[in-house]
Amino acid sequence: FFAFIHGQSPWSSAKADKILRFELPCEPLHLLSWLNSQKDHHKFYWSSREGDLEMAGVGLADCVKRDGEVDFKQIFEHIEERLSERNPHLRYYGGIGFNPKIVSVPNFVPNFNFFIPRFEILRAGEEWLFALNISLEDIEESKIKKILEELQDLNFTPAELPLKMPQSIGQKNDPDRKDWEKIFTQAK
């Protein structure tokens, strides 16, 4: 399950922003090529089914994740605290594993994971934006210096996608299709 939650959510209310977002118009570019040329190991891509909205993100401005039992109230309170109608493009991306019997794989995917990228290139229809997201918790000199270094490290040189795709080293579906259908039926 992969979703996004954005600033126009019904949870938002008039409150102080906890995530600052700075947006500038930018030129269109090939988002996957841009992601491929970045050094940061936190890279994200998301696209709406309709294709009218897509985002490429690098780094982490905020993240809420955990292994073990999912506390929906706690997750959504954290997210609600940080979203604001003043930042309609600010979004959390991520999801929740919906098989409660599965403990996440170490060093892989937690039971839930929602995040806001540090840097984003967003295409909303014909509008292109570059955004920088900063948590108020990161407003201190040493952290701002590090964020500015990360910004300088971003590569905007036009790049091609690699000619050869990475080779898959394996796949494990857990639950398998039969168990997934059973869980899905029970959830209805």
Side-chain angles (χ1 to χ4, degrees), residues 83-127:
L83 294 177
S84 165
E85 290 178 11
R86 288 183 294 276
N87 289 310
H89 293 300
L90 182 63
R91 293 170 169 78
Y92 274 87
Y93 299 89
I96 300 171
F98 64 93
N99 185 350
K101 296 176 186 169
I102 301 297
V103 177
S104 66
V105 177
N107 300 317
F108 188 59
V109 179
N111 280 359
F112 67 87
N113 186 5
F114 289 96
F115 56 89
I116 295 175
R118 168 76 65 214
F119 306 101
E120 293 178 50
I121 295 182
L122 177 72
R123 181 186 60 79
E126 298 299 314
E127 181 181 27

Side-chain angles (χ1 to χ4, degrees), residues 4-41:
F4 74 93
I5 302 170
H6 60 89
Q8 295 175 343
S9 76
W11 310 308
S12 298
S13 60
K15 59 189 175 301
D17 292 342
K18 299 224 175 168
I19 304 287
L20 302 177
R21 182 176 176 91
F22 303 93
E23 293 180 345
L24 297 168
C26 69
E27 293 295 317
L29 54 89
H30 190 276
L31 294 179
L32 293 176
S33 294
W34 181 76
L35 275 180
N36 186 54
S37 67
Q38 304 311 313
K39 296 176 188 173
D40 197 302
H41 67 277

Side-chain angles (χ1 to χ4, degrees), residues 180-188:
W180 182 87
E181 288 174 353
K182 182 179 174 185
I183 294 166
F184 185 76
T185 301
Q186 290 172 349
K188 286 184 182 179

Side-chain angles (χ1 to χ4, degrees), residues 93-183:
Y93 299 89
I96 300 171
F98 64 93
N99 185 350
K101 296 176 186 169
I102 301 297
V103 177
S104 66
V105 177
N107 300 317
F108 188 59
V109 179
N111 280 359
F112 67 87
N113 186 5
F114 289 96
F115 56 89
I116 295 175
R118 168 76 65 214
F119 306 101
E120 293 178 50
I121 295 182
L122 177 72
R123 181 186 60 79
E126 298 299 314
E127 181 181 27
W128 287 79
L129 298 169
F130 173 78
L132 163 63
N133 299 306
I134 302 177
S135 169
L136 283 183
E137 297 160 1
D138 290 339
I139 305 295
E140 60 179 58
E141 187 175 357
S142 64
K143 290 182 179 180
I144 294 295
K145 282 183 180 180
K146 184 176 182 331
I147 291 168
L148 290 174
E149 288 171 8
E150 292 169 359
L151 177 63
Q152 288 180 335
D153 285 344
L154 291 177
N155 184 354
F156 290 93
T157 304
E160 297 288 325
L161 284 173
L163 295 176
K164 185 176 179 184
M165 293 302 290
Q167 184 176 357
S168 174
I169 58 172
Q171 176 178 330
K172 181 176 180 354
N173 296 321
D174 197 358
D176 63 18
R177 183 168 184 92
K178 180 182 162 195
D179 289 340
W180 182 87
E181 288 174 353
K182 182 179 174 185
I183 294 166

